[in-house]
């Protein structure tokens, strides 16, 4: 059982601020994912929670108690690293039992906990091997086993799957989801991979340059990104962005005109916009259809994935839209195509990159920062 609360957490290395005031509540048994590009501060934030890095300012509460000055070993949290960090001279069983031994657990207690972790992770037949006799995926399972035996209040994972090949990553992702389900433990998981974030998280925290861009469920972030950064980061293939100009607006919608193109009416709150203002229209590849519509262009690239076809359509010199069509599309390279979309599925961003929402969505609970 554990809740974690971060209040205005900051981290500076000398004069360089790398974490710039983060507020977050992690509920008991929640699976929270920190996602963001490399260097945005994910590891630093996780290491402050773990107690491996001093918190420059702000408060960390574990189960409601301030924990800033509590030693890492006394926080009751277990961290799993990308690098596995196993002891090479110890067997799998010894690696998993090591922290229990340090803490004075009896041999019988150690053996029982190692057996239970080995059962959960299907490591039974490997208990007497040494790390060098294991595959990457097996090593990572041992590293997770080492965390499980400690029965931590919460698990902290820092890009644990990044060293694995693509197929194994998908397998381990499913294993971690099963683990979360069976242990019913609080977990914080750090990744730069939006697919991992989308598939695993109860709650995603999108980080950028040491700040929170948005916190919400995977679908809240996908359906209602608060800004251009989140819109471009969550969803694959990435959302298309088109420069446009506001022609007219009222309380129910905005008429926008693409550069050199037609205009469409987007049901967004237009009160904050003025005619002539520059905006960005966001359309997800899966929201575009090959049909007569306000956009036309030439197919430049066709990516056949079997169940899907990804088309790259140039609608103006240098302006390419990515279109995701179901199944194997017969459209060939260089074909001239029309693109249609439901204006209600569009996203509109003002010149500051902030999303403008239809009135009905304004009170929804996704937290924007
Ligand atoms: P991420 O895990 O998101 O890739 P990090 O948390 O590792 O990012 O790093 C965030 C920023 O903090 C980076 O710009 C990095 O260079 C900087 N940083 C990390 N550790 C140190 C350190 N010990 N001294 C100075 N800067 C650091
Ligand atoms: Mg990192």
């Amino acid at each position: 059982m554990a809740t974690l609360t971060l209040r205005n957490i900051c981290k500076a290395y000398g004069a360089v601020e790398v974490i710039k005031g983060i507020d977050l509540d992690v509920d008991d048994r929640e699976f929270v994912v920190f996602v963001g590009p490399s260097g945005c501060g994910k590891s630093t934030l996780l290491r402050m929670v773990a107690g491996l890095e001093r918190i420059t300012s702000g408060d960390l509460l574990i189960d409601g108690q301030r924990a800033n000055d509590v030693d890492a070993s006394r926080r009751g949290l277990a961290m799993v690293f990308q690098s596995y960090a196993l002891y090479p001279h110890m067997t799998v069983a010894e690696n998993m039992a090591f922290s229990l031994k340090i803490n004075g657990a009896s041999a019988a207690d150690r053996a029982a906990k190692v057996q239970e972790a080995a059962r959960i992770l299907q490591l039974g037949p490997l208990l007497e091997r040494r790390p060098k006799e294991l595959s990457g995926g097996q090593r990572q399972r041992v590293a997770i086993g080492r965390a499980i035996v400690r029965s931590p209040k919460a698990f902290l994972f820092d890009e644990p799957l990044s060293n694995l090949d693509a197929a194994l990553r998908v397998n381990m992702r499913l294993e971690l989801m099963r683990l979360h389900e069976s242990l019913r433990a609080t977990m914080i998981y750090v990744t730069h991979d939006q697919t991992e974030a989308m598939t695993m998280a109860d709650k995603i925290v999108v980080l950028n340059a040491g700040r929170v861009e948005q916190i919400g469920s995977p679908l809240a972030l996908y359906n209602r990104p608060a800004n251009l950064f989140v819109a471009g980061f969550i969803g694959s293939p990435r959302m298309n962005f088109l420069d446009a100009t506001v022609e007219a607006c009222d309380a129910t919608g905005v008429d926008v005109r693409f550069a050199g193109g037609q205009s469409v009416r987007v049901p967004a709150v237009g009160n904050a916009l003025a005619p002539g203002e520059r905006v960005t229209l966001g359309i997800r590849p899966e929201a575009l259809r090959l049909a007569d519509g306000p956009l036309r262009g030439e197919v430049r690239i066709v990516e056949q994935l079997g169940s899907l076809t990804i088309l790259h359509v140039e609608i103006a010199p240098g302006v390419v839209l990515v279109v995701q069509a179901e199944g194997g599309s017969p459209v060939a390279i260089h074909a001239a195509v029309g693109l249609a979309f439901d204006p209600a599925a569009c996203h509109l961003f003002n010149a500051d990159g902030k999303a403008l929402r239809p009135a009905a969505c304004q009170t929804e609970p996704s937290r924007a920062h």
Side-chain angles (χ1 to χ4, degrees):
M1 292 276 286
T3 64
L4 298 164
T5 307
L6 281 64
R7 285 196 197 134
N8 199 19
I9 295 276
C10 297
K11 177 73 186 179
Y13 292 108
V16 184
E17 254 199 315
V18 297
I19 298 290
K20 300 164 188 167
I22 291 193
D23 293 298
L24 173 69
D25 290 307
V26 178
D27 296 334
D28 188 36
R29 297 176 181 175
E30 199 168 30
F31 197 123
V32 173
V33 175
F34 296 171
V35 71
S38 179
C40 70
K42 306 179 294 294
S43 295
T44 304
L45 189 58
L46 196 69
R47 291 169 62 82
M48 285 195 283
V49 173
L52 302 175
E53 203 72 71
R54 268 206 77 74
I55 296 170
T56 305
S57 65
D59 294 312
L60 168 71
L61 311 185
I62 300 176
D63 286 331
Q65 301 289 319
R66 190 170 186 275
N68 291 44
D69 302 318
V70 177
D71 194 68
S73 62
R74 303 197 159 273
R75 291 190 187 187
L77 311 175
M79 185 139 163
V80 178
F81 300 90
Q82 176 179 346
S83 62
Y84 319 138
L86 301 178
Y87 301 109
H89 57 288
M90 292 184 194
T91 64
V92 167
E94 287 164 351
N95 261 287
M96 291 205 282
F98 187 69
S99 69
L100 300 175
K101 199 167 173 181
I102 296 279
N103 287 329
S106 70
D109 188 22
R110 285 181 337 238
K113 289 206 160 121
V114 167
Q115 283 301 331
E116 173 62 6
R119 184 189 63 75
I120 293 169
L121 296 165
Q122 292 159 20
L123 285 170
L126 307 177
L127 283 173
E128 295 313 313
R129 292 207 194 163
R130 285 177 211 282
K132 69 170 188 299
E133 298 160 331
L134 302 175
S135 70
Q138 290 166 337
R139 283 178 209 175
Q140 191 51 281
R141 292 222 296 278
V142 177
I144 294 167
R146 220 168 33 174
I148 290 176
V149 297
R150 296 172 54 193
S151 310
K153 287 181 178 172
F155 288 81
L156 309 177
F157 296 96
D158 191 356
E159 310 233 15
L161 310 186
S162 294
N163 287 353
L164 306 178
D165 66 51
L168 204 51
R169 263 207 308 273
V170 173
N171 275 337
M172 284 298 293
R173 201 166 84 200
L174 296 174
E175 270 192 40
L176 283 172
M177 289 160 79
R178 272 197 291 272
L179 193 67
H180 179 245
E181 184 63 32
S182 64
L183 297 177
R184 304 168 66 80
T186 307
M187 295 185 172
I188 303 183
Y189 185 99
V190 161
T191 180
H192 62 274
D193 179 344
Q194 70 89 32
T195 307
E196 283 183 11
M198 286 296 283
T199 53
M200 299 172 87
D202 295 317
K203 182 150 91 192
I204 299 178
V205 181
V206 182
L207 295 169
N208 180 27
R211 291 185 205 282
V212 172
E213 292 280 355
Q214 193 173 4
I215 298 175
S217 70
L219 287 182
L221 299 195
Y222 175 86
N223 290 321
R224 297 185 298 280
N227 53 48
L228 276 174
F229 183 86
V230 176
F233 199 84
I234 298 289
S236 175
R238 184 171 181 271
M239 187 186 285
N240 295 292
F241 295 125
L242 278 173
D243 292 334
T245 308
V246 174
E247 289 202 304
C249 51
D250 57 36
T252 61
V254 187
D255 294 312
V256 297
R257 183 177 292 278
F258 313 117
Q262 299 191 26
S263 72
V264 293
R265 185 171 178 78
V266 180
V269 173
N271 303 7
L273 289 167
E277 208 172 318
R278 313 277 303 174
V279 290
T280 303
L281 194 67
I283 315 175
R284 293 205 182 272
E286 54 274 34
L288 285 166
R289 291 189 315 279
L290 293 173
D292 270 346
L295 299 165
R296 289 199 67 75
E298 182 185 336
V299 176
R300 292 293 187 182
I301 297 175
V302 180
E303 297 178 87
Q304 293 285 4
L305 297 171
S307 62
L308 300 171
T309 306
I310 312 289
L311 303 165
H312 299 244
V313 180
E314 189 169 24
I315 58 163
V319 183
V320 175
L321 293 186
V322 176
V323 180
Q324 179 174 306
E326 293 288 314
S329 167
V331 174
I333 189 159
H334 301 309
V337 295
L339 297 176
F341 55 89
D342 175 3
C346 287
H347 299 260
L348 198 61
F349 304 92
N350 67 14
D352 298 330
K354 223 174 151 317
L356 301 157
R357 295 262 163 258
C361 292
Q362 281 212 314
T363 54
E364 290 191 24
S366 152
R367 275 167 46 190
H369 291 250

